[in-house]
Amino acid sequence: MNYKHALTSPIFQVVSKSADELGVDCYVVGGFVRDFVLERGREKDIDIVAIGSGIELAKRVAKNLPNSPKVQVFKTYGTAMIRHEGVELEFVGARKESYNEDSRNPIVEDGTLEEDQNRRDFTINAMAISLNSATYGQLLDPFDGLQDLTDKCIKTPLDPAITYSDDPLRMLRAIRFATQLDFEIEAASFNAIKEQSHRIEIITKERINVEIQKILESKKPSIGFILLEESGLLQRIIPELTDLKGVDIQEGQKHKDNFYHTLEVVDNICNHTDNMWLRWAALLHDIGKAPTKRFSKKVGWTFHGHELKGSKMVYHLFKRLKMPLNDKMKYVQKLVFMSSRPIVLAQENITDSAVRRLVFDAGEFVEDLMTLCEADITTKNPYKFKKYHNNFKLVREKIIEVEERDQVRDFQPPISGEKIMETFDLKPSKEIGIIKEFIKEAILEGIIPNEPEKAFELMLKKGTDLGLTRADEK
Ligand code: ATP
Ligand code: MG
């Protein structure tokens, strides 16, 4: 079969010419071919395999390109990379791999194209298109990856038990591709993943993270998290999530399954944001519910303080997964901590002061918090669903209104401590804090607008109540 029409980018002509000059066979393989067939429209990274030295081929390609781009050589891996017009071209020599039990780093030898295709993870990733002029565009698809693309099926070229055991990262890649492409993992493959799930322990956290991140970037991450759970992998990677699974019943009272609820929230939020950290917040917003779950005959199931507990757990989870412990983590923590706040507003009358307090506490994250809380509405009762959404719409309108008047988002006290000290001729003392707090509360409650004159009047009144005398009256 000829796939010349996949090779529209002029770069392929340059690679073709270079390979012919060197007398080596070469092919474009992997994701590029797969995504071309799937019409996923991407040419960001292109993998080229040479039957010989990938590094030499890369150097020749660079020489033949008009601007002679730099070749980045990774000697240990025998690969080379060229960046050309926003595309990353990765060159590698065809290879054969053999594995040890306790490492995912194989012993690598030069190999044929066929051996190179054998070592690839999935049939849909093992297709190659020839680039040499004599066979330009010829598709080499020994495992019928094309058929699996049509069938939306993920399976390994060789025995799945060996493929996953050799490199357990492939288990996560299988689930990640199933999520990104909305494909099924073949039963034999999924069984092998279940059996090998414990082998994920030999994979570094960084590599695990890349895959989790890609699952969370997908249109419908629940596909991936359900597969992770069913395979036993999630238990080993993010047990905080599997701990949310299940419904307990006592005295005829039950609570919802917080694992599946969480996944619904994540899918919901993906329709409204590409912000990865907001998606993480959705994934983790209820993790405090497992350790805080209690039952009492009077009130049924409770999860008191789960928001605070959850936000603390975020830190430990990020640390364990070697995720950044920076402002992104703090953002996730804050959203988890505040994740129940707007819910009260959705159920009750919305007062200005409640909204003002919400904006004051959430600060710059208030809109993201609203997006999270809207996604959190998973009730199947259409009346409640509509009511909560309408209320949140009102809250959003009120946020704008209240912001125009009082600017409490990035609250700056309208009266400074210095001004208070000066007015009452005070040394630093607790009265200053009391007055400042009193003014802030008055603004949040809507007793006075956030204006210096009004705040000044209130300061005088409060100062008098505290028994202070104005400096100019002394
Ligand atoms: P994407 O870049 O969209 O994530 P991709 O298929 O290009 O998808 P890469 O990780 O860039 O994935 O890898 C390129 C190719 O290398 C894959 O298509 C596959 O053939 C092969 N490959 C990558 N990782 C593995 C692995 N762990 N085991 C076997 N083959 C792999
Ligand atoms: Mg790739």
Side-chain angles (χ1 to χ4, degrees):
M1 216 175 317
N2 198 291
Y3 267 78
K4 231 181 246 173
H5 54 295
L7 310 175
T8 47
S9 165
I11 188 73
F12 290 117
Q13 290 293 342
V14 181
V15 179
S16 178
K17 176 171 170 253
S18 310
D20 284 353
E21 282 171 12
L22 294 174
V24 300
D25 288 345
C26 85
Y27 306 84
V28 53
V29 286
F32 175 86
V33 184
R34 179 196 68 223
D35 287 350
F36 173 78
V37 178
L38 289 176
E39 299 179 12
R40 281 182 92 214
R42 65 135 215 210
E43 281 190 19
K44 286 192 316 302
D45 65 292
I46 299 177
D47 295 297
I48 310 277
V49 61
I51 317 306
S53 166
I55 297 173
E56 289 313 309
L57 178 60
K59 286 181 177 163
R60 180 59 68 103
V61 170
K63 207 175 124 210
N64 284 336
L65 281 168
N67 56 345
S68 308
K70 213 177 92 212
V71 182
Q72 227 177 316
V73 175
F74 306 94
K75 261 224 176 91
T76 13
Y77 301 104
T79 65
M81 200 263 282
I82 299 176
R83 228 181 285 269
H84 176 69
E85 293 180 347
V87 179
E88 276 184 13
L89 288 154
E90 185 97 35
F91 295 83
V92 61
R95 60 201 204 187
K96 188 161 92 179
E97 293 178 345
S98 42
Y99 284 83
N100 273 329
E101 176 60 7
D102 49 342
S103 159
R104 74 172 284 271
N105 300 321
I107 301 154
V108 178
E109 294 166 80
D110 291 344
T112 61
L113 175 69
E114 208 184 301
E115 283 165 336
D116 192 277
Q117 286 172 305
N118 283 341
R119 72 163 182 96
R120 291 188 179 261
D121 48 6
F122 307 113
T123 60
I124 57 169
N125 286 346
M127 298 181 287
I129 300 174
S130 172
L131 293 177
N132 296 86
S133 57
T135 47
Y136 197 71
Q138 208 177 81
L139 179 75
L140 292 113
D141 180 16
F143 310 107
D144 215 355
L146 272 187
Q147 187 60 47
D148 290 333
L149 283 178
T150 310
D151 297 344
K152 294 174 154 264
C153 177
I154 293 182
K155 62 181 181 210
T156 57
L158 307 178
D159 181 348
I162 297 169
T163 305
Y164 293 120
S165 173
D166 276 353
D167 177 1
L169 182 69
R170 293 169 183 159
M171 302 189 286
L172 285 182
R173 285 176 59 90
I175 291 175
R176 183 258 284 193
F177 283 119
T179 316
Q180 284 180 323
L181 307 175
D182 196 9
F183 277 29
E184 297 265 337
I185 300 173
E186 185 204 36
S189 225
F190 198 64
N191 286 334
I193 294 177
K194 278 186 186 162
E195 273 158 27
Q196 310 275 343
S197 64
H198 62 279
R199 301 225 350 115
I200 200 66
E201 315 286 352
I202 68 166
I203 304 296
T204 65
K205 296 287 187 292
E206 287 82 355
R207 283 177 180 274
I208 290 176
N209 252 330
V210 170
E211 301 304 323
I212 298 291
Q213 200 78 6
K214 286 189 176 174
I215 290 172
L216 209 45
E217 269 168 23
S218 308
K219 235 178 105 198
K220 200 175 171 201
S222 63
I223 298 174
F225 284 101
I226 287 171
L227 290 171
L228 286 172
E229 196 279 319
E230 287 172 357
S231 64
L233 285 164
L234 193 59
Q235 175 77 27
R236 295 173 189 280
I237 302 172
I238 315 182
E240 291 87 343
L241 289 174
T242 46
D243 287 348
L244 293 176
K245 237 191 111 201
V247 177
D248 273 332
I249 305 180
Q250 277 199 37
E251 316 259 330
Q253 302 202 53
K254 60 179 189 178
H255 62 78
K256 65 180 170 223
D257 184 309
N258 283 304
F259 177 66
Y260 293 104
H261 162 71
T262 291
L263 296 187
E264 244 186 292
V265 178
V266 173
D267 284 351
N268 280 347
I269 212 161
C270 291
N271 293 323
H272 299 281
T273 184
D274 290 330
N275 174 351
M276 280 309 296
W277 301 106
L278 185 48
R279 290 180 175 205
W280 268 106
L283 185 67
L284 304 181
H285 81 285
D286 268 351
I287 53 174
K289 280 192 174 171
T292 56
K293 183 163 95 176
R294 302 280 179 275
F295 181 79
S296 88
K297 282 190 180 164
K298 258 198 209 140
V299 285
W301 292 100
T302 61
F303 305 92
H304 287 311
H306 78 84
E307 302 87 350
L308 177 63
K309 179 77 187 166
S311 70
K312 287 183 179 162
M313 289 164 75
V314 167
Y315 168 78
H316 295 288
L317 190 151
F318 268 51
K319 194 162 176 215
R320 193 184 67 238
L321 293 180
K322 298 213 162 66
M323 305 223 295
L325 301 176
N326 57 12
D327 53 334
K328 302 296 181 211
M329 181 200 69
K330 290 200 183 119
Y331 164 87
V332 175
Q333 282 188 305
K334 182 153 186 176
L335 288 180
V336 171
F337 180 60
M338 294 195 69
S339 59
S340 305
R341 278 284 297 279
I343 292 167
V344 190
L345 293 175
Q347 290 160 347
E348 290 171 5
N349 279 340
I350 304 156
T351 62
D352 279 13
S353 62
V355 172
R356 222 177 273 113
R357 280 186 189 280
L358 183 72
V359 179
F360 178 81
D361 290 336
E364 57 178 324
F365 305 145
V366 71
E367 278 85 12
D368 288 353
L369 180 64
M370 291 308 297
T371 305
L372 173 59
C373 291
E374 280 157 355
D376 203 3
I377 303 173
T378 59
T379 170
K380 299 294 171 283
N381 175 332
Y383 167 78
K384 282 190 186 165
F385 185 88
K386 203 164 164 214
K387 179 178 152 196
Y388 295 166
H389 271 286
N390 280 341
N391 280 353
F392 278 155
K393 223 174 109 196
L394 284 177
V395 173
R396 281 193 187 262
E397 285 166 16
K398 267 220 178 336
I399 288 173
I400 297 169
E401 237 175 79
V402 157
E403 266 299 277
E404 270 174 13
R405 194 182 100 137
D406 290 326
Q407 289 109 38
V408 289
R409 184 182 298 247
D410 182 19
F411 186 76
Q412 303 294 335
I415 297 282
S416 68
E418 287 78 41
K419 184 83 188 165
I420 301 170
M421 289 196 277
E422 186 193 307
T423 310
F424 296 109
D425 192 20
L426 282 175
K427 296 247 155 16
S429 57
K430 72 169 197 277
E431 281 80 4
I432 300 155
I434 295 172
I435 295 172
K436 283 181 87 172
E437 182 65 19
F438 188 75
I439 294 170
K440 186 198 88 187
E441 280 297 313
I443 293 168
L444 291 180
E445 278 305 309
I447 296 164
I448 61 162
N450 186 3
E451 287 166 11
E453 301 79 43
K454 294 278 187 272
F456 190 80
E457 278 171 28
L458 198 68
M459 173 199 71
L460 291 180
K461 187 173 166 296
K462 184 66 185 172
T464 314
D465 288 353
L466 290 171
L468 302 174
T469 323
R470 284 180 70 157
D472 52 8
E473 287 173 2
K474 275 185 186 169

